[in-house]
Amino acid sequence: MQTFYTIALLLTGVILSNIIKQLVPRIPEAFILIIVGVILSFTPAFHNFELRR
């Protein structure tokens, strides 16, 4: 269930960044994605998140 929650949050972040890009086209999409990523990092799902090989 934790994996589903993480994927759902990431998809929500991408959708949110696309909506913001449509509303404010002067800001580059990379900056919007970085800001949304920082905001998502404060959610409890990403507190112990690590990438494994």
Side-chain angles (χ1 to χ4, degrees):
M1 191 65 174
Q2 183 71 23
T3 305
F4 176 74
Y5 183 61
T6 304
I7 292 173
L9 277 175
L10 290 173
L11 286 175
T12 303
V14 171
I15 292 169
L16 182 65
S17 67
N18 284 327
I19 292 171
I20 294 171
K21 177 68 177 160
Q22 295 295 321
L23 295 175
V24 187
R26 295 182 65 198
I27 300 175
E29 189 173 2
F31 291 153
I32 295 171
L33 287 170
I34 290 169
I35 292 168
V36 170
V38 168
I39 292 170
L40 285 177
S41 71
F42 291 113
T43 60
F46 295 111
H47 281 256
N48 296 320
F49 186 77
E50 65 181 55
L51 296 174
R52 296 184 187 181
R53 249 186 350 172

